[in-house]
């Protein structure tokens, strides 16, 4: 097969592992910087040019689209879909996953457990917002934040009100979520491929840090999911329309609560924590669909 990885950074661990796995299984694979692609739209003849050359005879693409270039990256994925290429992440699912509010609405409709979340249009009644989220402490998140950036724990009601007011004045959209104390600063990343959990790790924030992201100094260890947690992860990926997903969830007294569904989950943390060859699992997923 002829596979293209859509990535702006060919040096990433995830990109290199996918190249290694595809090459080992005798496929042709190449990294294309989607931000440098030109899209040509013509009647019944969609095509993509890269560095002046027309891209042809592509069997599959693996989108690794950064959050900052979602709009253009999605357009490139959509063009490959029009060229009848299989994509491990469909364009519509990519768009949904990057919109935190829309994602939560979709997950809620699917009947999945979620931390109680409040979103308003720059409401000045910030006291009521904090109360609706269950009172302090609360988590305040920028809608556009990634990798733990733009996520704040407000430990008192006064602090929460001040932070929300500050974001409102900056015209920065935020969501306010209840704080799940029993999670203890840890969350679970379940890696889903083609409707199956292929690996799971528990991420623990460093001391004094409520965010468990590995990019923020958190640590990861392998974990065996309960049946309820595994079902929730699979259902979340399906609800979002994602063939490959990193589902982040919290362990709470009322069962697993979905935090986020990531459409471009990194491989480094999960492979090192579990010792599993997830890159090859992704290549096999492509083989079954092409």
């Amino acid at each position: 097969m002829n596979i293209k990885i859509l990535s702006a950074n060919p040096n990433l661990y995830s990109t290199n592992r996918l190249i290694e796995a595809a090459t080992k299984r005798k496929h042709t694979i190449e990294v294309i910087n989607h931000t440098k692609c030109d899209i040509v739209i013509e009647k019944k003849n969609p095509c993509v040019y890269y560095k002046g050359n027309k891209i042809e005879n592509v069997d599959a693409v693996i989108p690794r689209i950064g959050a900052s270039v979602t709009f253009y990256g999605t357009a490139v994925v959509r063009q490959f879909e029009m060229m009848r290429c299989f994509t491990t992440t469909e364009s519509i699912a990519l768009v949904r996953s990057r919109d935190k509010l829309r994602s939560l609405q979709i997950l809620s409709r699917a009947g999945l457990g979620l931390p109680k979340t409040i979103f308003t249009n720059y409401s000045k009644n910030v006291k009521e917002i904090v109360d609706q989220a269950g009172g302090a402490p609360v988590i305040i998140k920028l809608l556009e934040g990634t990798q733990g950036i733009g996520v704040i724990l407000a430990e008192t009601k006064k602090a929460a009100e001040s932070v929300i007011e500050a974001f409102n004045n900056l015209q920065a959209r935020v969501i306010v979520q209840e704080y799940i104390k029993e999670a203890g600063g840890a969350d679970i990343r379940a890696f889903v491929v083609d409707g199956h959990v292929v690996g799971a790790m528990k991420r623990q924030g460093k001391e004094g840090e409520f965010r468990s992201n590995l990019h923020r100094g958190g640590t990861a260890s392998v974990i065996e999911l309960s049946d309820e947690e595994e079902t929730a992860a699979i259902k979340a990926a399906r609800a979002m329309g994602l063939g490959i997903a990193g589902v982040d969830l919290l362990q709470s007294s009322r069962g697993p609560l979905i935090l986020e569904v990531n459409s471009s989950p990194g491989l480094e943390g999960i492979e090192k924590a579990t010792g599993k060859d997830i890159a090859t699992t992704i290549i096999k997923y492509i083989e079954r669909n092409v």
Side-chain angles (χ1 to χ4, degrees):
M1 285 191 302
N2 183 8
I3 303 170
K4 306 293 185 189
I5 301 176
L6 305 181
S7 173
N9 187 349
N11 300 316
L12 292 176
Y13 174 95
S14 300
T15 305
N16 286 321
R17 283 288 296 117
L18 289 165
I19 292 170
E20 182 183 315
T23 303
K24 194 173 180 180
R25 295 183 67 83
K26 311 299 182 186
H27 300 301
T28 301
I29 189 162
E30 178 189 11
V31 179
I32 288 176
N33 186 340
H34 46 279
T35 67
K36 306 295 183 185
C37 287
D38 297 322
I39 297 170
V40 179
I41 302 170
E42 187 182 4
K43 182 180 179 181
K44 294 186 177 180
N45 186 31
C47 55
V48 175
Y49 281 80
Y50 182 60
K51 294 183 177 179
N53 298 312
K54 186 178 181 181
I55 300 176
E56 296 181 288
N57 303 317
V58 179
D59 295 302
V61 292
I62 305 174
R64 303 287 306 172
I65 310 295
S68 62
V69 291
T70 297
F71 175 79
Y72 197 75
T74 303
V76 174
V77 174
R78 194 180 300 119
Q79 191 77 351
F80 276 108
E81 289 171 346
M82 291 170 65
M83 293 161 59
R84 300 186 181 279
C85 297
F86 173 73
T87 173
T88 56
T89 303
E90 293 184 0
S91 56
I92 186 66
L94 181 57
V95 170
R96 286 177 187 145
S97 70
R98 290 291 161 80
D99 185 332
K100 280 192 176 73
L101 183 61
R102 187 178 181 186
S103 295
L104 291 170
Q105 289 172 323
I106 291 168
L107 295 169
S108 171
R109 185 175 61 196
L112 287 151
L114 303 165
K116 190 173 183 182
T117 303
I118 315 300
F119 176 74
T120 69
N121 191 35
Y122 308 123
S123 170
K124 297 195 182 302
N125 195 357
V126 293
K127 290 182 180 179
E128 189 175 311
I129 294 170
V130 177
D131 289 339
Q132 286 172 339
V138 293
I139 305 293
I140 301 166
K141 295 180 181 179
L142 278 171
L143 278 179
E144 292 81 19
T146 60
Q147 296 180 350
I149 299 169
V151 181
I152 297 165
L153 170 63
E155 298 194 23
T156 66
K157 188 172 183 180
K158 193 164 188 63
E161 291 168 5
S162 297
V163 171
I164 295 168
E165 285 172 349
F167 278 132
N168 284 351
N169 288 335
L170 292 169
Q171 297 282 288
R173 295 195 180 276
V174 297
I175 55 176
V176 181
Q177 286 185 327
E178 68 171 314
Y179 176 63
I180 309 300
K181 185 178 180 181
E182 60 266 31
D187 71 5
I188 291 172
R189 161 63 61 89
F191 206 107
V192 179
V193 178
D194 199 16
H196 301 278
V197 174
V198 297
M201 61 179 174
K202 187 169 187 176
R203 303 181 298 189
Q204 180 69 54
K206 62 183 180 182
E207 191 174 348
E209 174 62 77
F210 74 97
R211 294 170 295 184
S212 59
N213 304 69
L214 301 185
H215 293 88
R216 313 235 68 78
T219 56
S221 58
V222 66
I223 185 174
E224 187 169 337
L225 300 182
S226 68
D227 290 344
E228 190 180 10
E229 289 162 351
E230 186 170 348
T231 299
I234 292 168
K235 193 174 178 181
R238 187 186 301 126
M240 296 298 297
L242 290 167
I244 297 173
V247 181
D248 297 339
L249 53 90
L250 294 176
Q251 293 176 310
S252 81
S253 57
R254 59 181 192 265
L257 304 177
I258 306 295
L259 279 178
E260 188 175 359
V261 183
N262 193 316
S263 56
S264 296
L267 297 180
E268 186 170 10
I270 193 77
E271 285 198 337
K272 289 184 176 177
T274 64
K276 293 183 177 180
D277 182 359
I278 290 173
T280 295
T281 302
I282 292 172
I283 300 302
K284 288 180 178 179
Y285 166 51
I286 295 171
E287 291 170 355
R288 289 194 299 273
N289 284 275
V290 174

